[in-house]
Amino acid sequence: TVRKIWEKEIGISNIEIGGYKSGTIFAQTNSSAASWERTARKKEIIKKLNQYIGSSEIKNIKVKIK
């Protein structure tokens, strides 16, 4: 569900969601620009994802550059 919402609504390309654990979404990218955009929009992205899933379960997003 989170992957579909991410792709459709968040609109940050080049970031691939790899997993979720204890309130944190783990993702990877080849692009430092995509990683920076995620950092700049982190609060907005978390808020939007939590609205879609109907809870405040997501607390953090960590992106690793491949």
Side-chain angles (χ1 to χ4, degrees):
T1 301
V2 172
R3 287 176 202 216
K4 289 179 183 179
I5 295 166
W6 183 284
E7 292 170 4
K8 183 178 179 184
E9 299 295 331
I10 305 303
I12 300 176
S13 59
N14 300 325
I15 293 181
E16 183 179 309
I17 295 177
Y20 173 82
K21 184 178 180 182
S22 301
T24 300
I25 292 174
F26 297 93
Q28 295 181 17
T29 184
N30 289 328
S31 168
S32 60
S35 180
W36 180 87
E37 182 178 357
R38 191 279 318 167
T39 300
R41 295 179 53 202
K42 181 178 177 177
K43 288 182 184 179
E44 171 195 347
I45 294 167
I46 290 171
K47 182 179 177 181
K48 194 173 245 187
L49 291 171
N50 280 328
Q51 285 175 341
Y52 271 93
I53 62 173
S55 74
S56 57
E57 191 173 321
I58 299 169
K59 306 284 187 215
N60 196 13
I61 302 170
K62 292 186 178 183
V63 177
K64 180 180 178 180
I65 298 175
K66 297 182 199 176

